[in-house]
Amino acid sequence: MNKLCDIGLVGLGVMGRALAQNMAGKGFRVAVYNYIPSVTEEFMAGAGDGFTGTFSYEELAGSLAAPRKVFLMVTAGSAVDQVINELLKVLEPGDVIIDGGNSDFHDTERRCAFLAERGLLYIGTGVSGGEEGALKGPSMMPGGNAAAWPLVRPVLQAIAAKVDDGTPCCNWVGNGGAGHFVKMVHNGIEYGDIQLICECYQIMRDGLGMSNDEMREVFLRWNYGDLDSYLIGITADILGKKDADGRYIIDTILDTAGQKGTGKWTVQAALDQGTPLSLISEAVFARCLSARKEERVAAEAVLEGPEANMTADRESFLEDLRKALLAAKIVSYAQGFSLMAAASKEYGWNLDLGGVALLWRGGCIIRSVFLGRIKEAYKADPELVNLMLAPWFREKLAEGQDAWRRVASTSLLHGIPVPSFSAGLNYYDGYRCASLPANLLQAQRDYFGAHTYERTDRPRGEFHHTEWLK
């Protein structure tokens, strides 16, 4: 009789295969299942030792040591519920189901409660790093039923990415949907990071007239110091890659961006929490605008605007651009962490925001040296209300804001769209402004809808109404 497996994995797509190989490579025996039998057969044909192929949920459950642990890598949404319903027929109280897809955190909250009523433990874990991360070590953000964590911790921390001191980029995040919420915000910040880099690319390409090789050298130079990150590094790689015919591949790619929904969810969550997320929101809308390719081509022929060619000193402007990118990046993270803080309070998750930053230091798409600074900020002040107020971040914003303003204004004067750079700067200026024009806004609301307002000469919490037409 074959030895019982340590963990089961359902879903042998690209990520599922990579995670299964990662688990086996760390010494765990893995039972695999895919709803298409030929996919399981094909995987097993080249899988090597450490795997048991199964062809029904009954067979999967029977191959696992108790308490059974089943890791789902299936498409988010109804497919997850369908698999859970099948597993309910073959699992027993005390067994664990782990959803490693990009599920909506509301669904994770619901499933966690639903399965708890039936004696099963549920975890929703964000997994970041793509195929390479899944194989070599992803960043993992598990949350759900806390009783499940001791049972799955040895596996998850073993397969997760490790930083230089050996610390795994995987730790318990919180109850219910906390893990998937943190992964969702991670993806929102990723949207912001990518959009800011793309705006830098367009400024260099269209405004400064730089070649791909010249831009590649800039990103290579930036990939040291404060901007050292995975996304800056791969941007340099992309700009240098040529096709078989000698053409740069970047120049052959259609400028219409895709998205899978987590960026949109992040923006929706920010609206629900009443938390400003303007930079990330603009990054999401920039992708939406890019999808309107035919409209943009037609509009270019009829809508007037200035020439994109800048006359600025190149090296001086590139240094401004570097500082602007760092400053805007700070705002992106500040908005994302503010959103997590607001949700943590509402849902009672007690998120360790500094700990979240540590989870992202390795394996994930937004990994960078920058994240260590976030951990330090929250360690120094666990009640920090906004990352921009922490000393290191405040100092970098002060150093970079003049450059940031020059980059934003020069780009706009030359007709180069910089939605995330501009939104980030507006947020910074709005946040540091003690007197915003919302007093007029409140007066207008009271005028047409009797919505009332608070007064500066009366205690907060007292609401007043004026008969404006008398």
Side-chain angles (χ1 to χ4, degrees):
M1 179 178 177
N2 290 332
K3 181 181 178 182
L4 291 176
C5 294
D6 302 296
I7 191 166
L9 189 138
V10 176
L12 290 171
V14 171
M15 289 288 287
R17 288 168 180 253
L19 278 171
Q21 292 284 3
N22 186 348
M23 292 172 183
K26 298 300 187 299
F28 300 103
R29 185 156 190 88
V30 187
V32 296
Y33 170 81
N34 197 83
Y35 78 101
I36 301 175
S38 60
V39 173
T40 305
E41 292 171 352
E42 184 266 332
F43 175 81
M44 290 300 297
D49 296 333
F51 297 97
T52 296
T54 66
F55 297 89
S56 69
Y57 287 106
E58 293 82 0
E59 190 179 356
L60 175 69
S63 68
L64 297 174
R68 300 174 183 87
K69 297 171 281 292
V70 183
F71 200 114
L72 312 186
M73 286 304 295
V74 299
T75 305
S78 61
V80 177
D81 291 311
Q82 291 169 13
V83 174
I84 288 173
N85 288 334
E86 292 298 323
L87 289 172
L88 277 171
K89 301 173 185 177
V90 297
L91 296 183
E92 298 175 350
D95 291 343
V96 184
I97 299 175
I98 310 158
D99 175 14
N102 277 332
S103 288
D104 187 319
F105 80 97
H106 296 100
D107 288 337
T108 304
E109 292 263 335
R110 169 179 56 80
R111 291 164 184 153
C112 196
F114 170 77
L115 289 168
E117 293 174 354
R118 288 152 183 79
L120 293 173
L121 307 178
Y122 190 73
I123 289 178
T125 182
V127 179
S128 177
E131 180 184 3
E132 181 182 9
L135 180 63
K136 298 180 180 179
S139 168
M140 306 185 78
M141 295 145 262
N145 192 321
W149 179 232
L151 304 177
V152 302
R153 179 175 180 170
V155 177
L156 298 190
Q157 290 195 332
I159 67 173
K162 311 293 188 300
V163 292
D164 292 341
D165 64 2
T167 302
C169 295
C170 172
N171 212 341
W172 189 249
V173 174
N175 294 331
H180 273 139
F181 190 93
V182 167
K183 175 55 165 52
M184 178 194 74
V185 175
H186 163 284
N187 284 21
I189 292 172
E190 178 186 314
Y191 272 60
D193 271 2
I194 289 174
Q195 178 61 27
L196 288 170
I197 292 171
C198 288
E199 290 175 21
C200 289
Y201 163 71
Q202 186 168 14
I203 290 169
M204 286 190 272
R205 183 192 67 186
D206 299 345
L208 300 177
M210 296 173 66
S211 68
N212 290 326
D213 280 340
E214 289 172 329
M215 289 186 283
R216 177 175 181 271
E217 290 300 319
V218 171
F219 282 106
L220 285 173
R221 191 164 68 242
W222 285 357
N223 202 31
Y224 293 92
D226 295 332
L227 287 175
D228 182 355
S229 67
Y230 173 76
L231 286 170
I232 293 288
I234 68 167
T235 301
D237 292 342
I238 290 166
L239 289 168
K241 187 69 172 178
K242 294 182 180 180
D243 220 334
D245 60 6
R247 291 184 300 170
Y248 288 95
I249 293 178
I250 186 65
D251 296 334
T252 70
I253 298 175
L254 188 67
D255 60 325
T256 58
Q259 53 184 311
K260 292 186 176 180
T262 47
K264 179 180 71 175
W265 292 349
T266 311
V267 175
Q268 289 173 333
L271 291 171
D272 291 340
Q273 295 297 326
T275 301
L277 201 79
S278 50
L279 190 153
I280 293 169
S281 300
E282 286 296 343
V284 174
F285 289 130
R287 295 195 188 193
C288 297
L289 183 60
S290 77
R292 297 174 178 260
K293 175 67 175 179
E294 290 74 19
E295 289 182 46
R296 291 188 289 111
V297 170
E300 184 181 47
V302 296
L303 296 180
E304 295 184 1
E307 291 293 326
N309 184 41
M310 297 177 178
T311 58
D313 176 75
R314 178 183 288 187
E315 287 306 313
S316 175
F317 196 81
L318 286 173
E319 178 58 15
D320 276 355
L321 194 56
R322 183 192 67 79
K323 291 180 178 178
L325 177 57
L326 178 60
K329 184 182 175 80
I330 289 171
V331 165
S332 180
Y333 281 74
Q335 291 184 348
F337 274 76
S338 291
L339 174 57
M340 286 190 287
S344 178
K345 184 176 181 180
E346 175 168 338
Y347 296 105
W349 290 333
N350 297 315
L351 294 181
D352 176 359
L353 297 180
V356 168
L358 293 186
L359 300 183
W360 297 344
R361 289 187 301 167
C364 74
I365 303 302
I366 64 171
R367 60 186 184 265
S368 67
V369 297
F370 186 89
L371 292 160
R373 299 288 187 179
I374 297 177
K375 170 59 179 176
E376 292 171 5
Y378 283 105
K379 182 179 180 181
D381 182 4
E383 303 302 319
L384 182 66
V385 295
N386 191 296
L387 200 57
M388 296 191 302
L389 301 177
W392 186 85
F393 295 95
R394 193 170 69 238
E395 177 185 327
K396 291 299 177 182
L397 288 166
E399 290 176 1
Q401 69 160 300
D402 287 345
W404 193 4
R405 296 182 194 284
R406 285 192 292 269
V407 166
S409 59
T410 304
S411 298
L412 293 173
L413 285 170
H414 287 82
I416 298 174
V418 283
S420 286
F421 269 125
S422 301
L425 184 55
N426 284 329
Y427 174 81
Y428 173 75
D429 283 338
Y431 192 79
R432 68 182 188 85
C433 185
S435 180
L436 291 171
N439 55 332
L440 176 57
L441 183 154
Q442 284 297 88
Q444 292 170 328
R445 293 179 71 241
D446 190 57
Y447 189 110
F448 62 68
H451 292 293
T452 73
Y453 54 85
E454 294 176 277
R455 294 177 62 102
T456 59
D457 56 356
R458 305 299 271 278
R460 291 296 303 268
E462 285 187 10
F463 291 89
H464 307 269
H465 169 63
T466 293
E467 295 293 336
W468 295 96
L469 295 178
K470 288 186 179 179

